[in-house]
Amino acid sequence: MENFFTERSHQTRVNASLSDASALYSGVVQCSGIGPVAFLIYVDDLAEVLLQYGVRVKIFADDVKVYVEISHDSTVNEFQTVLDAIYAWATEWQLQVSLEKCAILKIGYVSDNNDYYIKKCATAKCHVLP
């Protein structure tokens, strides 16, 4: 296992061209047997972190879905706290959050007109799906 995770390099092939080798310091090796299992072990504690907030979480590969019922004003703040926790976890583990892929889906009668943010900045506002 140590040999699998240390002193790795990466090259990219486009048609017949091959890039120079670069050191690979993080990430999961694709097309490997142990890679997907290693990634699941890597992200498993995110589910544990989010359980503290009492939200339902679904994780598949590198996608995370959080289910929250917004029933009153205090749950608005709780949900923003969950988003902050996800960002803090990703930052700690040196993972990028794909802000352009983040979205909020509101179901049912929703009077929640609040904006939610990743990283607490206006440019990182979560997209609201119709």
Side-chain angles (χ1 to χ4, degrees):
M1 292 297 285
E2 183 177 344
N3 289 340
F4 182 77
F5 289 110
T6 57
E7 297 183 30
R8 294 183 294 150
S9 63
H10 171 78
Q11 289 182 294
T12 301
R13 179 184 304 275
V14 177
N15 297 324
S17 299
L18 190 62
S19 70
D20 293 335
S22 299
L24 187 60
Y25 299 107
S26 65
V28 174
V29 178
Q30 294 183 3
C31 301
S32 66
I34 192 69
V37 174
F39 189 76
L40 288 174
I41 292 168
Y42 190 71
V43 299
D44 183 60
D45 69 318
L46 175 60
E48 295 295 323
V49 167
L50 295 177
L51 282 176
Q52 301 175 58
Y53 299 98
V55 297
R56 293 181 53 185
V57 179
K58 304 264 187 207
I59 299 175
F60 179 76
D62 62 347
D63 291 330
V64 177
K65 290 182 175 55
V66 179
Y67 299 87
V68 178
E69 179 180 349
I70 305 292
S71 55
H72 47 80
D73 290 340
S74 66
T75 52
V76 168
N77 294 331
E78 291 170 11
F79 181 51
Q80 184 60 59
T81 301
V82 168
L83 295 176
D84 295 343
I86 292 170
Y87 183 76
W89 180 89
T91 301
E92 178 182 350
W93 289 101
Q94 301 174 16
L95 292 172
Q96 293 284 331
V97 175
S98 297
L99 298 174
E100 64 280 357
K101 294 182 180 179
C102 295
I104 294 176
L105 175 62
K106 297 179 180 183
I107 300 173
Y109 175 74
V110 180
S111 61
D112 174 20
N113 294 320
N114 295 286
D115 291 329
Y116 297 98
Y117 297 90
I118 304 279
K119 195 176 160 182
K120 293 186 179 179
C121 66
T123 58
K125 181 178 169 185
C126 298
H127 304 287
V128 177
L129 301 176

